[in-house]
């Protein structure tokens, strides 16, 4: 199977993430999307990030009933900070019957040269790049391992949701069903 690996903080997961995942299945040839919650992104500050158990729980709520979307725990088994190249290597070893491609936003593509073993990721796995507001992705000419996908752009971000919750707002329609209840029940982002 062709598996799109969507890794991120998902703090919280929101409908923009779900739209991207669905688009990759419908239009980019992916049979399934495997979501991987990053314990700590090496290019971001760890301060203020929610406990990984909450981020995983919200992800599982979001993909419940979505047959083509799975939670992948491989990154939680790797040393912190986690590197995408190491995660993809571990997936390829554990699931040699599948082909993996990494899903990233155009904002990450613009700094992809800073990623650990970035050339290795492109050569051995490939990238599916989705648009992000204010960012344009220009793939390397002639490299078939990089595809710019014309997924719908959403201006919803996890930061926006966290800030709204901190102000006492409920944004039920910005997150998949059940996620806002989880946020409120667990006192997240206050």
């Amino acid at each position: 199977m062709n598996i799109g690996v969507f890794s991120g903080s998902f703090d919280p997961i929101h409908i923009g993430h779900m739209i991207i995942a669905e688009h990759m299945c419908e239009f980019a040839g992916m049979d399934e999307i495997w979501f991987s919650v990053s314990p700590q992104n090496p290019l971001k500050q760890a301060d203020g990030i929610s406990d990984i158990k909450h981020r995983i729980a919200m992800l599982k709520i979001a993909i419940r009933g979505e047959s083509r979307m799975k939670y992948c725990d491989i990154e939680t088994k790797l040393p912190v900070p986690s590197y995408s190249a190491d995660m993809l290597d571990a997936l390829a070893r554990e699931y040699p019957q599948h082909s993996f491609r990494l899903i990233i936003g155009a904002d990450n593509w613009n700094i992809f040269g800073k990623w650990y073993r970035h050339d290795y990721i492109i050569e051995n796995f490939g990238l599916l790049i989705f648009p992000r507001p204010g960012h344009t992705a220009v793939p390397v000419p002639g490299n078939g391992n990089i595809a710019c996908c014309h997924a719908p752009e959403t201006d919803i971000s996890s930061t926006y949701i966290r800030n709204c919750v901190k102000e006492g707002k409920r944004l039920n329609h910005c997150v998949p069903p059940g996620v806002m209840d989880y946020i409120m029940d667990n006192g997240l982002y206050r």
Side-chain angles (χ1 to χ4, degrees):
M1 282 199 298
N2 292 318
I3 308 296
V5 180
F6 200 173
S7 177
S9 299
F10 301 116
D11 192 20
I13 189 164
H14 55 71
I15 60 163
H17 297 127
M18 302 301 289
I19 290 168
I20 296 302
E22 184 175 61
H23 184 89
M24 295 302 173
C25 287
E26 293 297 329
F27 298 101
M30 296 297 103
D31 297 307
E32 291 181 351
I33 303 302
W34 291 7
F35 287 89
S36 179
V37 179
S38 298
Q40 184 196 334
N41 180 327
L43 296 177
K44 290 184 179 178
Q45 291 288 340
D47 299 344
I49 194 166
S50 298
D51 189 295
I52 194 165
K53 72 177 183 183
H54 291 303
R55 294 182 286 131
I56 291 169
M58 289 186 284
L59 173 65
K60 287 180 176 180
I61 290 167
I63 63 174
R64 188 174 39 216
E66 297 286 345
S67 63
R68 298 181 297 181
M69 298 180 197
K70 313 281 187 224
Y71 164 63
C72 174
D73 69 350
I74 201 97
E75 230 173 326
T76 63
K77 300 173 185 175
L78 298 174
V80 174
S82 54
Y83 294 99
S84 295
D86 294 342
M87 175 199 46
L88 291 165
D89 276 343
L91 284 171
R93 280 192 307 274
E94 192 165 330
Y95 303 98
Q97 72 275 26
H98 297 315
S99 172
F100 296 97
R101 290 190 82 171
L102 186 64
I103 299 169
I104 66 169
D107 52 338
N108 276 313
W109 171 246
N110 292 335
I111 61 166
F112 197 68
K114 296 179 180 179
W115 284 36
Y116 174 68
R117 297 170 63 203
H118 59 277
D119 288 333
Y120 175 81
I121 294 170
I122 293 170
E123 291 169 21
N124 293 279
F125 299 99
L127 299 174
L128 297 171
I129 305 170
F130 61 89
R132 293 279 291 144
H135 297 275
T136 304
V138 180
V140 177
N143 192 325
N145 284 345
I146 303 171
C148 289
C149 303
H150 301 289
E153 282 188 48
T154 62
D155 208 8
I156 297 170
S157 71
S158 297
T159 302
Y160 172 73
I161 294 166
R162 290 192 306 271
N163 289 338
C164 287
V165 170
K166 192 180 294 183
E167 295 172 10
K169 311 278 191 254
R170 283 185 67 101
L171 299 175
N172 288 313
H173 298 290
C174 290
V175 294
V179 172
M180 188 55 64
D181 288 337
Y182 183 92
I183 290 169
M184 295 301 177
D185 291 347
N186 288 278
L188 301 180
Y189 314 128
R190 295 190 181 177

